């Protein structure tokens, strides 16, 4: 069975995007008020939603 090779960009694109959202959420919660609080809730909720979505999916088994 031949494995598909992935570039570094393909491997780290989503983890880096989620890390960026987390940093924006934490910084806006720490340094801002009112609208910044809403931004922090949204920025911190998105990675949690992605995690929940991925955890709820059926695991992919190689060869099936």
């Amino acid at each position: 069975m031949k494995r598909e090779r992935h570039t570094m960009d393909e491997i780290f694109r989503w983890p880096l995007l989620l890390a960026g959202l987390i940093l924006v959420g934490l910084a806006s919660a720490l340094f801002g008020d009112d609208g910044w609080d809403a931004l922090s809730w949204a920025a911190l909720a998105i990675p949690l939603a992605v995690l929940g979505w991925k955890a709820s999916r059926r695991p992919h088994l190689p060869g099936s």
Side-chain angles (χ1 to χ4, degrees):
M1 180 167 67
K2 189 175 181 179
R3 290 187 128 180
E4 183 180 336
R5 302 215 22 119
H6 296 285
T7 64
M8 294 290 275
D9 180 50
E10 291 171 336
I11 293 169
F12 290 107
R13 180 181 304 141
W14 285 104
L16 287 173
L17 178 64
L18 293 175
L21 274 172
I22 291 168
L23 285 174
V24 166
L26 291 175
S28 63
L30 186 61
F31 296 120
D33 265 337
D34 301 326
W36 292 103
D37 289 334
L39 174 65
S40 69
W41 274 94
L44 292 172
I46 291 170
L48 286 176
V50 169
L51 231 126
W53 174 67
K54 288 296 282 183
S56 69
R57 292 182 63 204
R58 187 172 162 201
H60 175 72
L61 300 174
S64 61

